[in-house]
Amino acid sequence: MDSLLEHLDRFSEVLAVSRTTHVSTWDPATVRRALQWAGYLRHIHRRFGRHARIRKALEQRLQNQWKQEGDSGPTPAPGLANFQALGHCDQLLSLRLLANPALGDASFHFLLQQLFPGPGVPDAEEEALQGSLARFARCRAAAHMLRFHAYRENPVLQKDSVMKTQAELLLRRLQEVGEAEAEGPGRLLSRLWERLPQSNFLKVVAAALLLPAASPRLQEEELGVGSPRTPGDGRQELLRWLLGKSDIAVAFCRNLPAELLTSVAGRHPELSPVYLGLLTNWGRQLHYDLPKGLWIGTEPQDVPWEELFSRFQSLCQAPPPLKDEVLTALKSYKAQDGDFEVPGLSIWTDLLLALGSLV
């Protein structure tokens, strides 16, 4: 019994560490040992599920771990809070590793090979484990692609299932770090911004902001965790971070497609004044070239007329109140410039004329 309890203590530590950056030191052999350990405890659950004395001793040890505070060692990871959790501790471990970006490439690929060995006839237990982890493997694989691959252009990212999976994974990570520390989500997002391909990361941010208020796809189902979590809080953390970083907000509004930004601004009214303010500043950088009959910029980074019109056109095709807010702003700018109706005197007049029936 003492040996069994010691195994339980050590695995609780392994499970806790699996969610930290320490897994960056894990090689494939370490991952294999951790999975074998989890498999052993799952075997214990199956063997002693009806053995009252052993079950009570194991559950008492788990409860004691759960209540520990101030321990200098790793705190037991959420999810291994009772005897029933031992029945899926291999799922918990695999989930932690699949969702942990600190796991090295070699170890990550080894883990996938262990979970999904390819053609063959797996036994019933392996098949059940593979089924329960299939969606989590897709999520982690999506995060892996986020580091190294560019995505195809898709102005309606909410219809892209891969991007949606990446967005859900991002919100899940934000909630996990937010539960541990109030400032955790902001730091995580800043690290991702610094380390990941920024144009792709901005697309994932937009897709995350477009997710519905409750998305169950990444919630842990029946894994012994306390109250279920939804992506709602993660979206608010994401929006707070985005609006608090002016340079990132500019990149977000400048680099993403017009239709996508219109959708995000319509979903989150806090973003629309920021986006409209940037469009206004970009418009004021242009001047009218009389010989060419065009509005042009003086600097290479200036937004061209065609793009400015496309973005205002998309906003004016949005439902109220976003459309009304944009049209009110354009008419106000036109009045400030002298309320001219002749083309070439005010960019706001020309935008309203070009928008035509949308006004």
Side-chain angles (χ1 to χ4, degrees):
M1 176 61 73
D2 290 341
S3 175
L4 181 57
L5 293 176
E6 184 177 352
H7 278 296
L8 189 60
D9 291 343
R10 299 291 77 79
F11 181 75
S12 293
E13 295 175 1
V14 169
L15 192 59
V17 170
S18 68
R19 303 180 69 181
T20 71
T21 57
H22 292 296
V23 299
S24 61
T25 64
W26 287 19
D27 58 13
T30 304
V31 174
R32 178 190 290 110
R33 289 193 297 272
L35 289 174
Q36 290 172 342
W37 213 337
Y40 168 73
L41 289 177
R42 183 158 57 93
H43 170 73
I44 293 299
H45 171 269
R46 184 175 62 253
R47 181 177 179 183
F48 297 110
R50 297 183 179 181
H51 196 296
R53 186 176 67 86
I54 294 179
R55 175 170 181 150
K56 182 177 180 180
L58 291 173
E59 189 141 32
Q60 184 62 49
R61 178 61 63 96
L62 287 170
Q63 291 174 355
N64 289 341
Q65 289 178 341
W66 188 259
K67 295 175 181 178
Q68 279 179 344
E69 295 181 359
D71 189 1
S72 59
T75 303
L80 200 60
N82 51 49
F83 181 82
Q84 191 64 29
L86 295 181
H88 44 244
C89 58
D90 48 355
Q91 297 177 26
L92 286 169
L93 174 63
S94 299
L95 167 59
R96 304 286 189 246
L97 293 175
L98 288 169
N100 192 337
L103 186 66
D105 295 334
S107 298
F108 169 63
H109 288 299
F110 172 79
L111 178 60
L112 287 184
Q113 289 171 0
Q114 295 301 301
L115 297 175
F116 309 98
V121 184
D123 62 31
E125 291 184 4
E126 289 175 343
E127 194 171 27
L129 175 61
Q130 291 170 17
S132 65
L133 290 170
R135 56 188 175 141
F136 298 123
R138 288 195 296 270
C139 292
R140 181 58 178 88
H144 189 70
M145 287 191 295
L146 179 62
R147 298 189 214 171
F148 301 109
H149 301 286
Y151 302 118
R152 64 186 182 278
E153 287 297 324
N154 184 351
V156 190
L157 294 182
Q158 60 267 44
K159 295 183 180 179
D160 186 325
S161 59
V162 174
M163 189 69 69
K164 184 177 181 181
T165 299
Q166 294 164 346
E168 289 178 331
L169 178 60
L170 175 62
L171 293 183
R172 180 187 182 87
R173 296 286 292 166
L174 289 176
Q175 287 188 319
E176 288 178 346
V177 299
E179 290 171 359
E181 185 179 359
E183 301 300 322
R187 280 199 291 268
L188 171 63
L189 289 167
S190 294
R191 287 199 303 270
L192 292 174
W193 172 251
E194 294 169 358
R195 298 176 184 178
L196 297 176
Q198 293 181 349
S199 61
N200 297 334
F201 182 60
L202 290 175
K203 295 176 185 178
V204 176
V205 168
L209 290 173
L210 289 173
L211 286 175
S215 177
R217 294 180 61 189
L218 285 181
Q219 292 180 16
E220 294 180 30
E221 299 177 353
E222 305 291 330
L223 293 185
V225 186
S227 57
R229 297 173 294 190
T230 63
D233 293 339
R235 290 201 321 278
Q236 292 304 312
E237 293 288 354
L238 190 55
L239 189 63
R240 187 179 300 112
W241 172 79
L242 181 63
L243 296 178
K245 303 283 186 179
S246 59
D247 57 330
I248 301 175
V250 170
F252 184 82
C253 295
R254 181 68 176 86
N255 296 325
L256 294 183
E259 292 180 21
L260 178 60
L261 281 168
T262 296
S263 296
V264 176
R267 183 73 64 85
H268 299 280
E270 307 96 316
L271 182 64
S272 58
V274 176
Y275 184 32
L276 183 57
L278 288 171
L279 289 175
T280 303
N281 291 335
W282 295 340
R284 287 172 176 162
Q285 300 300 316
L286 304 183
H287 68 276
Y288 193 73
D289 187 305
L290 189 59
K292 295 181 179 179
L294 299 172
W295 290 92
I296 62 174
T298 56
E299 301 294 336
Q301 68 271 20
D302 288 341
V303 175
W305 158 267
E306 294 79 7
E307 180 181 343
L308 189 69
F309 168 73
S310 174
R311 292 184 178 279
F312 273 111
Q313 182 184 46
S314 178
L315 288 170
C316 289
Q317 291 172 337
L322 181 57
K323 175 182 178 179
D324 297 339
E325 178 185 345
V326 173
L327 288 176
T328 299
L330 285 174
K331 292 175 182 178
S332 173
Y333 301 152
K334 173 176 174 284
Q336 292 172 16
D337 276 1
D339 210 13
F340 299 107
E341 298 295 339
V342 180
L345 296 179
S346 168
I347 192 169
W348 313 118
T349 295
D350 287 12
L351 279 170
L352 286 168
L353 290 174
L355 289 170
S357 60
L358 296 176
V359 177

